[in-house]
Amino acid sequence: MTPENRDSQSKAIAAKVLALPEFKAAQRVSVYLSTDAEVNTVELLKEMFNQKKEVYVPTYHKNTMEMAKLKDFADYESLPLTSWKIKQPKWSDNRESALESGGLELVLMPGVAFTESYGRCGHGMGYYDKFLARLIEKFGRENVKLIAVAFKEQIVPDDELPMDATDVRLDNVITA
């Protein structure tokens, strides 16, 4: 994909997400901080802060992912880059955790591939699946909407993406 194609699709996807009833209703939202190869989430992040939503982003320590609270867009901009060139709160910052402070109403997530029936293939480490299992166990599946954002090129037929018992099926996949 060209940078222009990624940018064009990212803008269209952001507009669709902002129009979703689930997005409008949610006050506690998790969003990933994108790399150059992923759907860009910066505009979504800005709009979440404009709408005074509580925003949580991934932070990692060894094999565990938590969703840590960001205060505002300036807080986001001040985050350090990881070795993968992703902005991320430091684990040692001791930020408010979504799991410890009331859960999440909406999780916007990335992935490598998705199916039309809302299957998801991540990057292979299981971070999101393990986090979602903990979130669902604590707060219930009915209390959180799981939505992925993806380029059209990431959608594959159902039979090309095997799902196992640890894979959490999404509520929606938004594409351009």
Side-chain angles (χ1 to χ4, degrees):
M1 293 179 66
T2 65
E4 295 79 17
N5 188 335
R6 284 193 302 268
D7 186 53
S8 172
Q9 285 195 53
S10 290
K11 287 178 180 168
I13 291 165
K16 286 183 178 183
V17 169
L18 295 174
L20 289 172
E22 298 92 336
F23 178 84
K24 291 178 180 179
Q27 282 304 303
R28 296 174 59 88
V29 182
S30 163
V31 63
Y32 70 97
L33 301 178
S34 51
T35 66
D36 289 343
E38 295 173 316
V39 173
N40 188 325
T41 59
V42 173
E43 292 308 313
L44 287 170
L45 193 61
K46 286 180 183 175
E47 190 55 33
M48 287 178 209
F49 287 123
N50 286 343
Q51 292 184 23
K52 307 289 188 234
K53 295 184 185 293
E54 292 183 55
V55 178
Y56 296 83
V57 298
T59 184
Y60 305 87
H61 181 68
K62 298 183 181 174
N63 293 327
T64 303
M65 178 177 82
E66 295 292 341
M67 292 296 171
K69 188 172 185 177
L70 290 182
K71 293 180 272 214
D72 51 31
F73 195 73
D75 189 15
Y76 159 75
E77 289 186 312
S78 73
L79 293 175
L81 286 175
T82 67
S83 57
W84 301 287
K85 304 288 187 248
I86 302 169
K87 285 183 173 283
Q88 176 184 307
K90 289 181 182 173
W91 190 267
S92 60
D93 282 355
N94 218 11
R95 291 173 179 262
E96 179 181 311
S97 161
L99 285 178
E100 301 305 318
S101 66
L104 294 162
E105 296 164 273
L106 174 63
V107 178
L108 296 172
M109 67 185 79
V112 174
F114 305 91
T115 68
E116 292 172 353
S117 64
Y118 309 138
R120 174 184 175 272
C121 173
H123 291 276
M125 298 297 291
Y127 287 117
Y128 267 94
D129 289 322
K130 290 177 213 165
F131 174 80
L132 293 174
R134 291 167 43 227
L135 178 70
I136 290 166
E137 181 180 335
K138 190 165 185 176
F139 297 100
R141 178 63 178 93
E142 67 281 0
N143 294 314
V144 62
K145 294 295 180 192
L146 307 176
I147 299 177
V149 292
F151 297 119
K152 290 183 257 186
E153 292 80 356
Q154 292 177 272
I155 306 301
V156 300
D158 285 340
D159 61 355
E160 288 185 24
L161 191 64
M163 300 280 290
D164 67 31
T166 62
D167 293 321
V168 179
R169 197 161 295 276
L170 309 174
D171 294 303
N172 203 344
V173 177
I174 305 298
T175 61

